[in-house]
Structure formats: structure tokens, C-alpha cells
Amino acid sequence: MVGSSHEAMHRIFQKDPALLTRALQQVLRIPFPEPHDFAGMNIDLTEIEPIERRVDTLLRAETDEGAYLLVVESQGKPDERKRGSWPYYLSYLYEKYRCEPVLIVVTQNSATARWAAEPIHLGVRGCPSLTVRPFVLGPDNVPVIAKASEAERDVPLAVLSAMTHGRGRQAPAILESLAAALRTIDRDSAAVFVQFVDSCLADTQARKMWRDMMTAIQYFWRHPLAEEVREEGREEGRAEALAEVILRILRVRDIDVPDDVRAHVEACRDLDQLVRWSERAVHAARADDLFALD
């Protein structure tokens, strides 16, 4: 028995699946390919076991036009699995928060940027039901900031410039301009920015240059890998300072640090372990992520 119009409106296509394709082709004029066969599938989409899905960064932006959810994904190389997960993220977030989601992909690689910018079409070829168009920030559109005056006007943008372009012939001017600009902002923010840049400098020469500049201007909070322990008997003091850097990074990134996590970090005296935690703090979504791989 069919008990409602809701049930009837979809069950007719269970009765005659070919009707659905005829409706697509003849009524909606969608060039749907002719099926060879049909198979009924389980309609229950409930996930019995929890599946962990995380975006890299999620921000809510309130505007005069309403709220937007900014989904930021950092992409090192093409990954075809993202062609399925990115639409899922946007659909899930819209359903949960009823805010318009916006996908922004950031990358240091031009080829990856071109790949990420390709629209994702789901559905009939040439007439998709869902299209996702990522916005991409990469080497081809992030500005090169190689003058100290420009870097001082927008230090975070200068940091992104260094993270994106910190290699090749442009690296010295970019890094020198940023180093000068960091003197003009608060020490906590500078501490985080220094580590962000160091983590993104794949070029050995550029990274050495950056660490030397941070040493010259006496930023102890430069990336912990930038210096070796030079004085015996100072390990405990260095461990305390590095623990404070880790907690400072999390604080600046607005990540809540429970008391047990804080105590665990502050009690650690293993410099190598603290270095690993400091690297994870840059990308962690939660404070507990510091210890995820230990």
C-alpha cells in the first residue's frame, strides 16, 4: 500500500526505473546516457560507525549579506579523493549550519593549483547536478612582496607571500622584507609567523637564510629547528621556552588548551619531542593532536 503522495512520487520510479531516465531525457532534456541495467540499493544512509572527517581550517564569516563558512584546505599535491570529499564537506556544512560554504584551497605548487581549480562536476556529463568550484591561492596569484614597506602594510599577507614564493631568486628579497616587517608587530604573532614560514621553506638555502636572519635579530622564538643547543646546562631553560612557544602557537590560533595538555607540554624536557610538538602545533585542529602520532 502506498500511504502518501510523498511515497508515491518516488516509488513510481522503483516500479519502472526506465521512467526516470526517460523523464531526464525527454522532460528535462538532460543528455543522460541510456542505462543497460538497474539495481535497487539500500536507501538507509545512516552511518552506524563514526567516520572522522575534518577540514583543515573552518571559519565563520559574518557579512552584511549574511554568514559564510570559509573552508580552507592546504594541498601539497593532487589527490583525486578530494574530488569526492570536498563536495561532501560543503554539503554537510550547509545542511548543519545553513550558511553558505566557500572552499578555498591553498598550495605552493603551480601544477597543484591548476588541478585544484578545476571544477568538480557530479552527475550527468555536460549537465551536472552538483558543481563545486574551488577558489585557489597559489604561486600564480599570491602577490610577491619583496619590499619592506609593502610587507609592513600587511604582515600576514607578506607571510603568505614568503610561504608561497620562498624559493629561487626572489627568496632573499621576500624574506628580508618580511624579517623587517616582523619587528613592527607583537612578539606573540611574530613567533607564530616565523614558524609558519620556516615550515614552508623547502629550499635548503632559503631556509638557512631565514634562520640566520632570525638569529641576527635575536628571535629566540624562531623555529626550534633553526638552532642547535650550544651551551650545556641550558637544556631545561630551552625546554621551558620551547614549551611556551608551543602553547603560544595554539593560543594565537584560538585553539583551546585543556589543563592536562598544558601540564604535559610544560613538564616535557625532551627537546626532540618538543620540536615535533611545535611542528604539529602549526597544523593541529585540537590541542590533543600534538600527541596523535606519539
Side-chain angles (χ1 to χ4, degrees):
M1 291 289 294
V2 176
S4 67
S5 61
H6 170 84
E7 187 175 6
M9 290 296 290
H10 69 83
R11 281 190 59 182
I12 187 174
F13 299 114
Q14 296 177 15
K15 176 65 175 177
D16 185 359
L19 174 63
L20 185 56
T21 58
R22 292 198 301 276
L24 289 171
Q25 297 165 347
Q26 300 172 21
V27 179
L28 298 180
R29 304 297 182 184
I30 293 174
F32 193 91
E34 196 67 34
H36 299 296
D37 195 12
F38 293 93
M41 298 182 67
N42 191 340
I43 62 173
D44 189 353
L45 305 184
T46 303
E47 295 180 353
I48 299 175
E49 296 182 1
I51 298 177
E52 183 174 305
R53 298 183 187 272
R54 293 185 184 180
V55 298
D56 290 335
T57 290
L58 179 62
L59 304 170
R60 181 186 175 103
E62 299 286 349
T63 75
D64 292 339
E65 299 176 359
Y68 288 87
L69 297 177
L70 305 182
V71 182
V72 184
E73 286 280 283
S74 176
Q75 198 67 27
K77 60 183 180 180
D79 181 354
E80 288 305 315
R81 293 176 299 177
K82 295 294 186 179
R83 315 296 286 182
S85 59
W86 285 342
Y88 174 88
Y89 294 161
L90 300 184
S91 298
Y92 174 84
L93 290 169
Y94 180 77
E95 175 64 20
K96 182 174 182 179
Y97 297 104
R98 292 296 169 176
C99 293
E100 299 294 342
V102 179
L103 174 63
I104 303 102
V105 180
V106 292
T107 181
Q108 295 175 280
N109 184 276
S110 293
T112 301
R114 290 191 294 272
W115 166 83
E118 295 176 0
I120 302 169
H121 301 297
L122 301 181
V124 180
R125 184 173 301 176
C127 192
S129 296
L130 175 65
T131 297
V132 174
R133 300 180 185 276
F135 298 143
V136 181
L137 294 171
D140 297 331
N141 56 13
V142 172
V144 174
I145 299 180
K147 295 182 179 179
S149 58
E150 295 180 3
E152 290 173 9
R153 282 198 295 270
D154 193 338
V155 176
L157 182 60
V159 172
L160 181 61
S161 177
M163 294 164 61
T164 307
H165 301 289
R167 63 181 66 188
R169 290 179 297 177
Q170 300 178 108
I174 294 172
L175 297 177
E176 288 172 7
S177 298
L178 177 58
L182 288 175
R183 299 173 185 264
T184 67
I185 65 174
D186 67 278
R187 296 167 66 91
D188 283 355
S189 295
V192 177
F193 288 151
V194 166
Q195 187 160 351
F196 283 173
V197 173
D198 193 281
S199 297
C200 290
L201 293 175
D203 182 86
T204 302
Q205 186 174 358
R207 178 176 287 186
K208 183 179 185 304
M209 180 192 313
W210 179 244
R211 293 175 179 178
D212 287 346
M213 284 190 288
M214 295 302 97
T215 302
I217 60 178
Q218 298 181 345
Y219 276 138
F220 174 76
W221 53 84
R222 61 193 177 279
H223 193 288
L225 294 177
E227 68 170 28
E228 298 178 0
V229 177
R230 296 184 176 91
E231 302 175 53
E232 293 184 6
R234 299 283 305 274
E235 285 83 359
E236 182 172 349
R238 293 180 185 275
E240 291 175 354
L242 187 48
E244 177 58 28
V245 167
I246 295 168
L247 298 173
R248 192 178 294 166
I249 291 171
L250 296 175
R251 183 167 63 249
V252 171
R253 296 185 61 224
D254 293 327
I255 293 177
D256 181 63
V257 181
D259 290 341
D260 59 332
V261 172
R262 178 182 299 278
H264 191 37
V265 171
E266 292 178 339
C268 182
R269 291 297 177 265
D270 184 337
L271 290 176
D272 290 337
Q273 180 65 78
L274 289 166
V275 165
R276 289 192 290 271
W277 288 348
S278 68
E279 293 173 331
R280 295 173 192 168
V282 176
H283 306 288
R286 300 178 302 182
D288 288 338
D289 292 348
L290 293 179
F291 320 126
L293 302 177
D294 293 340

